[in-house]
Amino acid sequence: MAEGCVIGVDLGGTKLLAGAVDQDGTVHHRTNRPALGLDQLELVEMVAHAVEGVRRSVGVEVEAVGFGIPCTFDARTGLAVQAVNLPLRDIRFADVMAERLELPVVVDNDANCAVLAEARAGAGAGCSEVVMLTLGTGIGSGMVLRGEVYRGFAGGGAEIGHMVVDMDGRPCQGNCPNTGCLESVASGTALVREVSLAVARRPDTNIGRAMEAGRELTGPMVTEMARAGDPVARAAIETIGRALGVGLANVVNIFCPQVVVIGGGVSAAGDLLLAPAREVMARRALAPGRDEVRIEAAAFGAEAGMLGAAMLARERPSDVPSAAGPAAAGTA
Ligand SMILES: [Zn+2]
């Protein structure tokens, strides 16, 4: 690989994806690791090992590492303050990783990384106003407004997944204290719950038989069954899509973006998810936003967060937590 390589890391609620990215944006030496069931210390160890593995494979000097992690940040202190779906709290993630890896490190919210990649070179290329929702374990979100990633005061902004769409709705998941959040009705977790309820009512389709035979019910499995025509899986994805559409109507009314990019594992369902979402959004949102906005699947699919983290590593902007690396690490 040529010089000028950075490593991008996308840490999700259930897994980590990392890769070395060269100056052309080509990804080399991808690695996947599970992130479930670890405490904070174990999680930090796992992440550091994954990065070191990629670094060894690269064979040339790595300039910096960018991390996208599903946390709110306080940019004034560099603290990763709160994660809904991972055991991270009040940790100076950039400092910890820079000391451990002896490399310059920059950290941002995972969905901020994803929207950066999609707005620069993906489904939102050429647009100044781009909102992205990543539907996975939870719902991450990022916004590019007037061409810049919007992080809110002190860096805690753009948590559209925790926008309330049902005031008296079910409790949200993980560490979120709210009820009726978009995340509680339109995430991968909500999809799995929806299917599990539907299969109990109607066990006589392929998905019910697969579960009966011991196959684990997961988001990818639901998508696969839906694509193959299973009516229970299709109906569940449509339900999630309609709930997503309510969230999109709010997004379109508030921000009037040119494009809303839908990423994360659930977006693999494609138009089975997006068609009902578009239909509900168009019925509920106000003109002109509803008539102009495009609702698109992420061009980079599951790699958007990793690619955006790599872009961040290359640019090292001043408004996100970062740590210098070797010099600072000398005191570790
Ligand atoms: Zn919530």
Side-chain angles (χ1 to χ4, degrees):
M1 188 191 295
E3 298 295 316
C5 164
V6 294
I7 293 177
V9 182
D10 182 12
L11 180 57
T14 58
K15 62 182 185 298
L16 168 147
L17 175 62
V21 181
D22 67 21
Q23 280 176 327
D24 301 331
T26 308
V27 183
H28 308 261
H29 309 294
R30 289 171 177 81
T31 187
N32 270 289
R33 302 281 174 100
L36 271 175
L38 307 176
D39 64 25
Q40 179 160 298
L41 201 62
E42 292 166 336
L43 192 68
V44 165
E45 280 301 303
M46 181 277 285
V47 172
H49 277 130
V51 173
E52 281 164 354
V54 173
R55 188 183 186 181
R56 274 195 302 276
S57 306
V58 167
V60 296
E61 196 173 333
V62 169
E63 289 184 358
V65 187
F67 290 93
I69 61 178
C71 276
T72 55
F73 285 94
D74 189 329
R76 298 165 297 185
T77 60
L79 274 182
V81 180
Q82 187 176 7
V84 171
N85 293 302
L86 273 178
L88 288 174
R89 191 176 178 92
D90 296 334
I91 176 174
R92 291 179 201 285
F93 194 85
D95 292 344
V96 168
M97 280 297 156
E99 283 187 8
R100 179 66 201 267
L101 300 167
E102 301 194 351
L103 279 173
V105 162
V106 57
V107 182
D108 199 356
N109 176 275
D110 57 342
N112 287 351
C113 293
V115 77
L116 180 66
E118 291 288 342
R120 290 267 176 84
C127 299
S128 59
E129 320 296 318
V130 182
V131 176
M132 181 161 183
L133 301 179
T134 57
L135 278 49
T137 314
I139 294 185
S141 71
M143 301 192 295
V144 166
L145 301 181
R146 298 181 178 178
E148 301 280 340
V149 175
Y150 179 80
R151 299 183 173 90
F153 169 70
E159 288 291 339
I160 294 168
H162 300 282
M163 169 175 61
V164 173
V165 292
D166 181 358
M167 191 170 80
D168 300 316
R170 66 173 53 246
C172 192
Q173 60 196 42
N175 300 318
C176 177
N178 211 341
T179 63
C181 294
L182 184 63
E183 175 163 314
S184 71
V185 290
S187 60
T189 308
L191 174 63
V192 166
R193 186 187 63 236
E194 193 64 36
V195 171
S196 132
L197 291 171
V199 164
R201 291 192 298 269
R202 190 179 168 187
D204 60 328
T205 74
N206 283 342
I207 196 162
R209 286 189 281 272
M211 287 168 65
E212 182 70 29
R215 201 162 157 206
E216 192 191 355
L217 177 60
T218 63
M221 181 262 220
V222 175
T223 303
E224 177 200 317
M225 292 280 175
R227 283 189 177 284
D230 186 275
V232 167
R234 281 185 173 236
I237 289 176
E238 185 181 338
T239 300
I240 296 301
R242 297 174 68 77
L244 175 62
V246 175
L248 292 176
N250 291 325
V251 166
V252 168
N253 283 344
I254 297 168
F255 298 109
C256 197
Q258 289 144 297
V259 55
V260 182
V261 185
I262 308 297
V266 183
S267 68
D271 277 348
L272 292 174
L273 175 83
L274 297 184
R278 289 186 188 110
E279 190 264 318
V280 169
M281 182 283 297
R283 201 153 37 76
R284 285 178 174 252
L286 297 171
R290 68 173 184 220
D291 303 322
E292 303 281 336
V293 68
R294 289 183 291 123
I295 311 294
E296 304 278 356
F300 295 123
E303 300 211 321
M306 178 182 70
L307 288 167
M311 287 176 182
L312 212 61
R314 208 171 283 296
E315 295 167 18
R316 278 168 263 167
S318 59
D319 56 347
V320 291
S322 63
T331 58

